[in-house]
Amino acid sequence: MSALFDHLPEFWQGLVVTLQMTMTSFAGAAVVGLVIVAMRVGPVPVLRRVATVYVETLQNLPLLVLLVLAVFGLPEIGLKAGLTTTAIVVIALYEGAYIAEALRSGVNAISAGQGEAARALGLTFGQSLRHVVLPQALRTVVQPIGNIFIALTMNTSLAAAVGVVELTAAANRVNLLEAQPIPIFVGAGLAYAAIAAGAGFVTGRLERRLAVAR
């Protein structure tokens, strides 16, 4: 355990990077998911097909492959960014496909009469989606989105494979110095577990509150 405590600054720095990546990626994924679900349930056939291809493609590709392609492939065509920024963008685009599917399941759970009533009141498709459909859909998918947040948190560890020094990479560096993998990686695992437990607690409370208010 001394290896763990002797290198707390390194672990803390890695944890900070992990949290930054998690929050920023999730915010980006939420925006991507909202745009994609609006396209998938919208009245324009071309946009529906584009959104469907996007979701099905991203859900059938390993995130690690996308990270490697983005980090090592994009600079070859002149698109350069920092490692952390690139990882955040890739994770946001990837997880956005899952958020879009979760939101679409929520939209499908809303009675068709809700949309018809909105149109009868003179609301456009965008207004109906923004003011009537999505607020109700979000209430039904709080837990699934919470699960996606937890999965996203765990997926940030893959950024270590492309050079981002987050929690997993920090643990690996410490292990190379101390050669004590069990306490080092158990400590890192407990940090991930704490984040997941906190996210589960928040989404559980939020789900119950919204269920009462519904």
Side-chain angles (χ1 to χ4, degrees):
M1 292 299 289
S2 61
L4 192 62
F5 293 110
D6 290 344
H7 294 275
L8 281 180
E10 291 93 326
F11 280 102
W12 174 251
Q13 184 61 37
L15 179 60
V16 169
V17 174
T18 290
L19 291 173
Q20 290 174 339
M21 290 181 62
T22 297
M23 301 308 296
T24 310
S25 297
F26 184 76
V31 173
V32 171
L34 285 169
V35 172
I36 295 299
V37 78
M39 293 168 63
R40 290 204 74 178
V41 303
V44 183
V46 173
L47 293 181
R48 287 202 302 268
R49 286 194 290 271
V50 169
T52 299
V53 169
Y54 178 88
V55 170
E56 292 184 355
T57 300
L58 268 293
Q59 287 188 333
N60 288 283
L61 285 175
L63 176 57
L64 183 57
V65 170
L66 296 176
L67 285 168
V68 171
L69 285 175
V71 169
F72 299 107
L74 292 181
E76 295 295 324
I77 59 174
L79 298 176
K80 298 181 180 180
L83 289 176
T84 303
T85 300
T86 302
I88 287 172
V89 172
V90 171
I91 293 171
L93 293 173
Y94 181 81
E95 298 293 345
Y98 290 89
I99 289 182
E101 280 299 274
L103 289 173
R104 190 170 72 94
S105 69
V107 170
N108 290 339
I110 304 302
S111 169
Q114 298 281 344
E116 294 171 0
R119 287 192 294 272
L121 292 172
L123 298 181
T124 65
F125 170 76
Q127 291 172 329
S128 172
L129 194 65
R130 185 168 65 252
H131 298 297
V132 178
V133 177
L134 279 180
Q136 297 182 73
L138 283 169
R139 290 176 174 176
T140 67
V141 296
V142 171
Q143 196 60 55
I145 289 179
N147 292 338
I148 292 171
F149 178 87
I150 293 172
L152 185 154
T153 302
M154 306 307 160
N155 283 339
T156 60
S157 64
L158 294 175
V162 293
V164 179
V165 186
E166 42 65 73
L167 182 57
T168 299
N172 189 52
R173 289 186 174 190
V174 173
N175 182 55
L176 291 175
L177 292 173
E178 301 290 345
Q180 296 184 38
I182 294 178
I184 289 170
F185 285 103
V186 166
L190 289 175
Y192 283 112
I195 297 172
F201 176 78
V202 171
T203 52
R205 290 288 298 272
L206 187 59
E207 184 180 39
R208 288 192 294 273
R209 178 171 297 183
L210 291 176
V212 172
R214 189 159 34 174

PDB file of all heavy atoms in Angstrom, residues 11 42 44-45 106 114 140 152 154 162 209 212:
ATOM      1  N   PHE A  11      -1.688   9.970  -8.849  1.00  0.00           N
ATOM      2  CA  PHE A  11      -3.056   9.438  -8.938  1.00  0.00           C
ATOM      3  C   PHE A  11      -4.080  10.566  -8.985  1.00  0.00           C
ATOM      4  O   PHE A  11      -5.062  10.505  -9.734  1.00  0.00           O
ATOM      5  CB  PHE A  11      -3.354   8.513  -7.755  1.00  0.00           C
ATOM      6  CG  PHE A  11      -2.805   7.129  -7.911  1.00  0.00           C
ATOM      7  CD1 PHE A  11      -1.648   6.735  -7.265  1.00  0.00           C
ATOM      8  CD2 PHE A  11      -3.450   6.215  -8.730  1.00  0.00           C
ATOM      9  CE1 PHE A  11      -1.140   5.465  -7.417  1.00  0.00           C
ATOM     10  CE2 PHE A  11      -2.958   4.929  -8.884  1.00  0.00           C
ATOM     11  CZ  PHE A  11      -1.789   4.551  -8.228  1.00  0.00           C
ATOM     12  N   GLY A  42     -37.566  12.820 -36.968  1.00  0.00           N
ATOM     13  CA  GLY A  42     -38.049  13.949 -37.754  1.00  0.00           C
ATOM     14  C   GLY A  42     -38.758  13.517 -39.032  1.00  0.00           C
ATOM     15  O   GLY A  42     -38.765  12.340 -39.402  1.00  0.00           O
ATOM     16  N   VAL A  44     -37.996  14.335 -42.157  1.00  0.00           N
ATOM     17  CA  VAL A  44     -37.172  14.345 -43.376  1.00  0.00           C
ATOM     18  C   VAL A  44     -36.508  12.981 -43.561  1.00  0.00           C
ATOM     19  O   VAL A  44     -35.641  12.609 -42.760  1.00  0.00           O
ATOM     20  CB  VAL A  44     -36.099  15.455 -43.305  1.00  0.00           C
ATOM     21  CG1 VAL A  44     -35.299  15.496 -44.609  1.00  0.00           C
ATOM     22  CG2 VAL A  44     -36.740  16.803 -43.014  1.00  0.00           C
ATOM     23  N   PRO A  45     -36.888  12.229 -44.594  1.00  0.00           N
ATOM     24  CA  PRO A  45     -36.366  10.864 -44.774  1.00  0.00           C
ATOM     25  C   PRO A  45     -34.841  10.799 -44.865  1.00  0.00           C
ATOM     26  O   PRO A  45     -34.218   9.893 -44.306  1.00  0.00           O
ATOM     27  CB  PRO A  45     -37.022  10.399 -46.083  1.00  0.00           C
ATOM     28  CG  PRO A  45     -38.264  11.231 -46.190  1.00  0.00           C
ATOM     29  CD  PRO A  45     -37.910  12.556 -45.597  1.00  0.00           C
ATOM     30  N   GLY A 106     -37.234   6.630 -25.335  1.00  0.00           N
ATOM     31  CA  GLY A 106     -38.121   7.478 -24.538  1.00  0.00           C
ATOM     32  C   GLY A 106     -39.167   8.163 -25.385  1.00  0.00           C
ATOM     33  O   GLY A 106     -40.338   8.258 -24.993  1.00  0.00           O
ATOM     34  N   GLN A 114     -49.871  12.818 -27.944  1.00  0.00           N
ATOM     35  CA  GLN A 114     -49.164  14.004 -27.483  1.00  0.00           C
ATOM     36  C   GLN A 114     -48.711  14.860 -28.660  1.00  0.00           C
ATOM     37  O   GLN A 114     -48.885  16.084 -28.670  1.00  0.00           O
ATOM     38  CB  GLN A 114     -47.953  13.604 -26.634  1.00  0.00           C
ATOM     39  CG  GLN A 114     -48.282  12.846 -25.373  1.00  0.00           C
ATOM     40  CD  GLN A 114     -48.771  13.771 -24.265  1.00  0.00           C
ATOM     41  OE1 GLN A 114     -48.601  14.977 -24.324  1.00  0.00           O
ATOM     42  NE2 GLN A 114     -49.387  13.189 -23.254  1.00  0.00           N
ATOM     43  N   THR A 140     -38.346   9.345 -18.767  1.00  0.00           N
ATOM     44  CA  THR A 140     -38.427   7.887 -18.838  1.00  0.00           C
ATOM     45  C   THR A 140     -37.064   7.225 -19.034  1.00  0.00           C
ATOM     46  O   THR A 140     -36.954   6.004 -18.926  1.00  0.00           O
ATOM     47  CB  THR A 140     -39.360   7.442 -19.982  1.00  0.00           C
ATOM     48  OG1 THR A 140     -38.765   7.798 -21.246  1.00  0.00           O
ATOM     49  CG2 THR A 140     -40.715   8.117 -19.868  1.00  0.00           C
ATOM     50  N   LEU A 152     -19.405   5.543 -20.033  1.00  0.00           N
ATOM     51  CA  LEU A 152     -18.498   6.549 -20.581  1.00  0.00           C
ATOM     52  C   LEU A 152     -17.306   6.765 -19.657  1.00  0.00           C
ATOM     53  O   LEU A 152     -16.164   6.880 -20.109  1.00  0.00           O
ATOM     54  CB  LEU A 152     -19.258   7.859 -20.805  1.00  0.00           C
ATOM     55  CG  LEU A 152     -18.532   9.022 -21.492  1.00  0.00           C
ATOM     56  CD1 LEU A 152     -19.546   9.930 -22.189  1.00  0.00           C
ATOM     57  CD2 LEU A 152     -17.711   9.853 -20.509  1.00  0.00           C
ATOM     58  N   MET A 154     -15.951   4.631 -17.617  1.00  0.00           N
ATOM     59  CA  MET A 154     -15.040   3.503 -17.766  1.00  0.00           C
ATOM     60  C   MET A 154     -14.300   3.559 -19.109  1.00  0.00           C
ATOM     61  O   MET A 154     -13.113   3.203 -19.200  1.00  0.00           O
ATOM     62  CB  MET A 154     -15.796   2.177 -17.646  1.00  0.00           C
ATOM     63  CG  MET A 154     -16.615   2.040 -16.374  1.00  0.00           C
ATOM     64  SD  MET A 154     -15.635   2.357 -14.882  1.00  0.00           S
ATOM     65  CE  MET A 154     -16.912   2.715 -13.693  1.00  0.00           C
ATOM     66  N   VAL A 162      -3.747   5.633 -26.161  1.00  0.00           N
ATOM     67  CA  VAL A 162      -3.275   6.571 -27.183  1.00  0.00           C
ATOM     68  C   VAL A 162      -2.472   7.718 -26.567  1.00  0.00           C
ATOM     69  O   VAL A 162      -2.256   8.746 -27.201  1.00  0.00           O
ATOM     70  CB  VAL A 162      -4.454   7.122 -28.017  1.00  0.00           C
ATOM     71  CG1 VAL A 162      -5.071   6.011 -28.845  1.00  0.00           C
ATOM     72  CG2 VAL A 162      -5.508   7.787 -27.137  1.00  0.00           C
ATOM     73  N   ARG A 209     -37.397  11.493  -8.238  1.00  0.00           N
ATOM     74  CA  ARG A 209     -37.973  12.837  -8.182  1.00  0.00           C
ATOM     75  C   ARG A 209     -38.819  13.133  -9.409  1.00  0.00           C
ATOM     76  O   ARG A 209     -39.917  13.671  -9.311  1.00  0.00           O
ATOM     77  CB  ARG A 209     -36.866  13.878  -8.037  1.00  0.00           C
ATOM     78  CG  ARG A 209     -37.373  15.315  -8.017  1.00  0.00           C
ATOM     79  CD  ARG A 209     -36.285  16.303  -7.657  1.00  0.00           C
ATOM     80  NE  ARG A 209     -35.790  16.086  -6.317  1.00  0.00           N
ATOM     81  CZ  ARG A 209     -34.877  16.836  -5.734  1.00  0.00           C
ATOM     82  NH1 ARG A 209     -34.340  17.859  -6.402  1.00  0.00           N
ATOM     83  NH2 ARG A 209     -34.482  16.605  -4.497  1.00  0.00           N
ATOM     84  N   VAL A 212     -42.118  11.224  -9.425  1.00  0.00           N
ATOM     85  CA  VAL A 212     -43.141  11.837  -8.585  1.00  0.00           C
ATOM     86  C   VAL A 212     -43.747  13.047  -9.257  1.00  0.00           C
ATOM     87  O   VAL A 212     -44.947  13.280  -9.206  1.00  0.00           O
ATOM     88  CB  VAL A 212     -42.533  12.242  -7.222  1.00  0.00           C
ATOM     89  CG1 VAL A 212     -43.523  13.048  -6.403  1.00  0.00           C
ATOM     90  CG2 VAL A 212     -42.121  11.002  -6.433  1.00  0.00           C
TER      91      VAL A 212
END
